[in-house]
């Protein structure tokens, strides 16, 4: 296949230099070194520059830029480059040349060619001059970005090493025993590890922006599920910040109590210290991510030192004071005694303890929550998260085992309770074998020390107590600070997506890192409210449910997007399985109800409410979610399976191809068809482009028309097609529209109001379209309104802002190219024009003139209309043709038939005067309508008439008129009956006469005009394809 060029273009191409490469043997292509993961970079020397010339450093740098590299096919053709695919926020994506630009030479191409011929380079939009390069170097420094160690691993470890580790893990070990404590840890780690694998898979399936868990779930499952979990997870992070702050406040209070100091009382002291602490953490957060990161590193170092201090303390010989509190270093007797559970108090139970412990494992998403501040979140999130889980799990297992092997469950803390001092008293329990008698407090349940009674056991065991306090402060404050930062980041992303009303105020960012200062204040207020509870064991179960709910949705997101087999699901992280993700989702939900069932119900109730709101509002966002992919798979599967099922009359529904043109120009036609097809059957709005421009509708114009349909809540497809005329375009649409069994079977079109003024060829085209439709075994419906359907003139003049079947003239289907292009202004999209079919019809009647049996379509359409809310109060009346002598019998037969069809018809009326001749005035008007198309015998010879009929088939000869006079009179007479009986009807439906081969198109059009003339309500001419669409049988 060749390419046709003009002489001018040929001369231009011959005069052009070879650009950036030369095919000569003296200057072979130069290949740079091969780079891993890509193809070698091919660089061709310029033909218009001397070899070895290196003085122009600016041009050399420009030649290395991808923006000015060209394809070997054509200078306009762009080579593959990252920037063509980059959708990063705040960055303008470069656009590759469109197909239209590549296919035809523009003036810009010629100008660039002339520049190249003169040895000068054209200016480019990329700014390839040295001046632009200098400007780029002077650009301000970008926001702070973190690697996988400081941004993910350390942050996750700090949040996992929280208040539970230091203040509750020994107590949980005493209650559940070492074995069940390990089981609790392992179950928690199983949930978090599976979730981490799912998070890693989602995070490596494309660039992750800020918003963390919310961003991943919403972009995977869509806004309906992402929005609720975003709110819940942001709230959970604020609660987690309150939890760790309360743990810090408890430690400070215990320190004060050791010295008999207090502020008010033990509970209020926790509240006061907690509020002061969270306020300080808020100020650190407001200082920015850079300061927060430095504080986290300091906390991490302190924690490592405190761990070393603890493990050293376990091997040090215990002093007598430590022995009185229950610490005896490593003893096999203590280990064996603490292996098994010893449930105590109302919180003594496996799932109660699991609910208290689980918040310690919730820090795995800390790195994900600030993914917008990571250098490479795709690699940092999986590496940092999994490493953090491994090290923290190891530490939890070691601490629970070591503390359970060193400390007894009960101790008095009194150095006088040795056996030597109380030799006369009975001694029972484990302490006796070590020389201590704790029997008295064990019997009374009044022991103050030991694993089961003292929350500060790790501090007591350690080699140097103040270092453990420093570790507790570091663990609680780092976790509280991490969650305080995470919650606003998540909420900010949710606010910016604008899927919930009234929260956009909190989405504003400040500074180079776009810090959500307003969201910080909101998170702070939420945290303060829960700090005022002042009891750590009450807050922990609430947090467990919210985090488990988040983990369930994360795992379900990964599972759902995996099973859709979407081509866009290509995670770089391969060590995951859809079935492990499903397991993680199920076990998370199960644990929610096992831990705190009422909190689980509240969580799910809140999510269902928020989900229902978004499902109703349908946010105008498109994130390529797995729900879309799943919907596509289901639609494809059902369509294919439906193709193998034979059609049945019971399942017939009118699947309509509607010739709307640009839908916004005929809103009444769109609304009428939508009123009985919505959520029931197929509707396709067809737009036939009959202009000389063969490029068709642009993608932008098509999208705007579809958007108009969606804003109008019309469930319809839109199908534009280019054709020479209405007939050709309709045939193409009937053949090409639909898929499998989802194909149209009924054609809807507007009545041709200008049939007397338009070109006779267009009239012939209109009638032939009806003939072709019947040939295709379609039903035909023609809607007529008194003032027409087309509102082009009203839109242009803006005289009719709310179209209520007012002024308008139905224009011809072949209008100018501007109108057929379907261009919609923004005002038209926002100001939806109202039609009478959008109003409630009240107690009007739908009058059906069932003149000819077409298989039942004439009755099915009004039945479907009355099922709608706007039409359900209307009464259906059926008019049939009959004789005066058999009128009652005819009526009873029709009533019996309608009852068998189970159609709710209010009244059946038999027309016995349809055979009467019409009023002469009306018949005269009919003849005047067809007068411009008459071909009178007295004006022409017989041979001339036949020739004119052949050349102008729309002409009506005297012979035609005489042969069809009776049919013409009946049409006019029927119109008189309709106007008399249906003065107050809301809709008139009349059987459409089938066009005969011997009936000229103008005469047939005059019949249609005569049937519906003078009606003040909408009139529908309808004809099925003569095949049954109604049945009264069960099979």
């Amino acid at each position: 296949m060749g390419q046709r060029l003009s002489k001018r273009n040929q001369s231009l191409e011959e005069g052009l230099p070879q650009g950036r490469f030369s095919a000569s043997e003296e200057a072979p292509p130069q290949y740079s070194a091969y780079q891993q993961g890509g193809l070698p970079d091919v660089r061709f020397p310029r033909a218009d520059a001397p070899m070895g010339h290196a003085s122009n450093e600016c041009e050399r740098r420009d030649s290395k830029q991808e923006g000015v590299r060209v394809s070997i096919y054509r200078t306009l053709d762009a080579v593959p480059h990252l920037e063509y695919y980059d959708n990063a926020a705040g960055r303008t994506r470069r656009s590759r040349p469109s197909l239209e630009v590549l296919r035809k030479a523009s003036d810009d191409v010629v100008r660039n060619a002339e520049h190249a011929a003169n040895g000068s380079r054209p200016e480019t939009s990329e700014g390839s001059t040295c001046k632009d390069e200098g400007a780029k170097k002077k650009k301000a420094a970008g926001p702070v970005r973190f690697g996988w160690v400081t941004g993910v691993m350390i942050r996750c470890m700090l949040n996992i090493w929280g208040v539970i580790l230091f203040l509750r893990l020994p107590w949980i070990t005493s209650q559940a025993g070492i074995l069940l404590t390990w089981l609790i840890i392992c179950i928690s780690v199983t949930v978090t590890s599976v979730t981490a694998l799912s998070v890693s898979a989602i995070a490596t399936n494309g660039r992750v922006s800020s918003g963390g868990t919310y961003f991943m779930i919403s972009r995977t499952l869509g806004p309906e599920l992402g929005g609720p979990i975003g709110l819940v997870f942001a709230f959970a992070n604020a609660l987690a910040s309150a939890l760790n702050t309360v743990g810090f406040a408890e430690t400070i209070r215990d320190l004060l109590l050791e010295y008999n100091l207090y502020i008010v009382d033990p509970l209020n002291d926790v509240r006061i210290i907690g509020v002061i602490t969270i306020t300080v953490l808020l100020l650190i957060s407001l200082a920015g991510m850079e300061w927060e990161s430095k504080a986290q590193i300091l906390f991490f170092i302190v924690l490592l030192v405190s761990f070393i201090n603890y493990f050293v303390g376990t091997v040090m010989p215990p002093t007598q004071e430590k022995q009185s509190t229950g610490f005896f270093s490593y003893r096999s007797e203590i280990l064996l005694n603490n292996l098994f559970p010893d449930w105590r108090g109302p919180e003594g139970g496996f799932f109660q303890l699991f609910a208290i412990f689980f918040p310690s494992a919730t820090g795995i998403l800390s790195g994900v929550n600030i993914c917008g501040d990571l250098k490479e979140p795709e690699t940092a999130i999986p590496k940092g998260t999994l490493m953090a889980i491994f090290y923290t799990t190891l530490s939890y297992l070691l601490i629970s085992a070591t503390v359970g092997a060193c400390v007894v469950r009960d101790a008095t803390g009194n150095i006088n309770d040795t056996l030597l001092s109380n030799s006369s008293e009975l001694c029972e329990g484990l302490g006796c074998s070590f020389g201590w008698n704790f029997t008295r407090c064990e019997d009374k349940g009044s022991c103050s020390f030991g694993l089961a009674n003292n929350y500060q056991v790790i501090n007591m065991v350690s080699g140097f107590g103040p270092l453990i306090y420093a570790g507790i402060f570091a663990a609680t404050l780092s976790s509280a600070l991490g969650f305080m930062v995470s919650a606003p980041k998540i909420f900010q992303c949710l606010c910016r997506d604008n899927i919930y009303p009234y929260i956009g105020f909190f989405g504003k960012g400040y500074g180079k890192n776009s810090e959500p200062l307003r969201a910080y204040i909101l998170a702070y207020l939420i945290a303060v409210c829960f700090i005022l509870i002042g009891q750590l064991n009450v807050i922990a179960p609430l947090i467990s449910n919210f985090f488990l709910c988040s983990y369930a949705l994360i795992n379900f997101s990964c599972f759902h997007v995996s099973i859709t087999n979407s081509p866009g699901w290509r995670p770089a992280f391969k060590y995951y399985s859809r079935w492990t993700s499903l397991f993680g989702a199920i076990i998370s939900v199960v644990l929610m109800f096992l831990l705190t069932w009422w909190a689980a119900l509240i969580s799910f109730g809140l999510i269902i409410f928020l989900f229902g709101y978004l499902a109703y509002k349908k946010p105008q966002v498109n994130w390529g979610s797995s729900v879309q992919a799943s919907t596509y798979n289901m639609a494809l599967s059902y369509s294919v399976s439906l193709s193998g099922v034979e059609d049945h009359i019971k399942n017939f529904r009118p699947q309509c191809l509607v010739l709307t043109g640009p839908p916004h120009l005929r809103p009444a036609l769109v609304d009428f068809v939508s009123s009985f097809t919505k959520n029931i059957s197929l509707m396709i709005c067809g737009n036939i482009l009959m202009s000389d421009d063969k490029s068709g509708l642009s993608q932008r114009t098509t999208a705007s028309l579809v958007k108009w349909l969606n804003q109008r809540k019309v469930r319809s497809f839109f199908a534009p097609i280019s054709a020479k005329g209405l007939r050709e375009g309709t045939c193409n649409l009937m053949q090409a529209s639909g898929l499998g069994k989802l194909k149209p079977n009924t054609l809807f079109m507007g009545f041709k109001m200008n049939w007397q003024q338009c070109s006779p060829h267009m009239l012939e085209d209109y009638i032939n379209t009806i003939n072709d439709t019947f040939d295709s075994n379609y039903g035909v419906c023609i809607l007529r309104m008194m003032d027409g359907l087309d509102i082009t003139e009203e839109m242009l003049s803006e005289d009719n802002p709310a179209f209520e079947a007012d002024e308008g003239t139905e224009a011809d289907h072949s209008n100018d190219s501007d109108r057929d292009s379907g261009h919609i202004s923004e005002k038209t999209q926002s100001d939806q024009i109202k039609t009478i079919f959008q109003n409630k019809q009240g107690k009007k009647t739908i009058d059906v003139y069932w003149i000819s049996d077409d298989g039942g379509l004439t009755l099915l359409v009004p039945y479907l209309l009355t099922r709608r809310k706007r039409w359900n109060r209307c009464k259906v009346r059926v008019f049939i043709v009959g004789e005066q002598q058999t009128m009652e019998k005819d009526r009873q037969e029709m009533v019996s038939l309608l009852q068998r069809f189970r159609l709710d018809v209010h009244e059946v009326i038999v027309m016995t005067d349809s055979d009467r001749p019409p009023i002469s005035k009306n018949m005269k008007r009919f003849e005047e309508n067809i007068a411009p198309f008459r071909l009178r015998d007295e004006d022409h010879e017989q041979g001339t008439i036949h020739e004119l009929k052949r050349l102008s088939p729309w002409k009506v000869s005297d012979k035609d008129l005489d042969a069809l006079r009776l049919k013409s009179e009946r049409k006019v007479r029927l119109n008189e009956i309709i106007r008399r009986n249906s003065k107050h009807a809301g809709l008139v439906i009349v059987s459409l006469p089938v066009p005969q081969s011997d009936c000229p198109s103008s005469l047939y059009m005059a019949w249609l005009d005569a049937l519906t003339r003078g009606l003040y309500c909408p009139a529908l001419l309808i004809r099925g394809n003569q095949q049954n669409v109604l049945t009264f049988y069960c099979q």
Side-chain angles (χ1 to χ4, degrees), residues 561-728:
V561 73
S562 299
I563 63 171
T564 57
N565 295 321
S566 173
W569 175 246
R570 303 183 301 274
F573 183 80
K574 304 297 183 183
Y575 304 101
Y576 78 99
S577 168
R578 64 183 66 176
W579 305 116
T580 57
S581 298
L582 179 61
F583 170 75
I586 293 174
I587 195 174
S588 298
V589 174
V590 171
L591 287 173
M592 286 180 66
F593 285 93
L594 290 177
L595 299 185
T596 316
W597 63 268
W598 57 268
L601 290 177
I602 292 175
S603 302
F604 275 104
L606 180 62
I607 289 176
I608 291 173
F609 171 76
L610 296 173
F611 171 81
Y613 173 83
L614 290 180
Y616 174 75
K617 286 294 184 180
K618 291 182 174 56
Q620 297 298 318
V621 294
N622 183 10
W623 294 328
S625 67
S626 63
V627 175
Q628 293 176 349
S630 177
T631 303
Y632 174 85
N633 286 346
M634 292 173 62
L636 183 62
S637 176
Y638 289 150
S639 298
V640 173
S641 61
L642 193 62
S643 298
V645 179
E646 190 175 350
D647 291 330
H648 196 281
I649 300 174
K650 290 196 300 183
N651 293 326
F652 176 87
R653 56 196 69 201
Q655 302 188 130
C656 302
L657 172 61
V658 192
L659 300 184
T660 59
H664 68 289
L665 298 182
R666 294 178 180 84
L669 182 60
V670 173
D671 291 338
F672 177 74
V673 180
S674 174
S675 62
F676 66 86
T677 60
K678 187 175 182 180
N679 298 326
I680 293 178
S681 60
L682 176 69
M683 176 181 174
I684 300 176
C685 292
N687 183 16
I688 302 173
L689 303 170
M690 292 176 279
S691 62
D692 294 333
D693 185 10
K694 299 300 181 183
S695 60
L697 249 67
S698 67
Q699 187 175 1
R700 181 180 177 184
T701 303
T702 301
S704 66
L705 292 172
V706 173
K707 183 178 180 181
W708 183 88
L709 290 170
N710 293 334
Q711 288 179 341
R712 207 172 182 82
K713 297 182 179 179
V714 174
R715 302 290 293 271
S716 173
F717 296 100
F718 177 68
I721 195 168
S722 297
K724 295 179 180 178
L726 174 66
R727 182 181 184 184
E728 178 185 334

Side-chain angles (χ1 to χ4, degrees), residues 331-458:
R331 298 294 180 95
S332 59
E333 299 90 338
I334 299 177
L335 177 64
L336 292 174
N337 185 67
N338 288 336
L339 280 178
F340 303 101
D342 181 18
W343 310 115
R344 300 184 184 184
E347 294 168 341
F350 181 82
F351 291 108
Q352 289 88 335
L353 294 177
F354 185 92
I356 295 173
F357 173 81
F358 190 77
S360 66
T362 57
I364 64 166
L365 298 179
S366 299
V368 178
N369 293 337
I370 63 160
C371 54
D373 297 303
L374 300 176
K375 292 179 182 177
E376 296 179 355
E378 297 83 3
T379 57
I381 289 173
K383 188 187 299 185
T385 304
L386 293 174
M387 292 295 288
I389 291 175
F390 173 76
Y391 289 126
T392 53
T393 302
L394 191 63
S395 64
Y396 272 103
L397 293 174
L398 289 175
I399 291 177
S400 61
T402 54
V403 77
C406 296
V407 184
V408 297
R409 284 190 168 99
D410 297 294
T412 60
N414 188 348
I415 59 174
N416 297 320
D417 285 339
T418 61
L419 285 178
L420 296 177
S421 304
N422 301 278
S423 57
S424 60
E425 294 184 10
L426 178 65
C427 183
E428 295 179 353
L430 188 60
C432 300
S433 59
F434 305 124
W436 291 84
N437 187 358
F438 303 136
T439 306
R440 186 171 51 205
C441 77
E442 288 179 359
D443 294 339
K444 295 180 180 180
S446 60
C447 295
S448 302
F449 292 90
L451 282 180
N453 308 293
N454 183 15
Y455 291 148
Q456 303 289 343
V457 167
I458 291 183

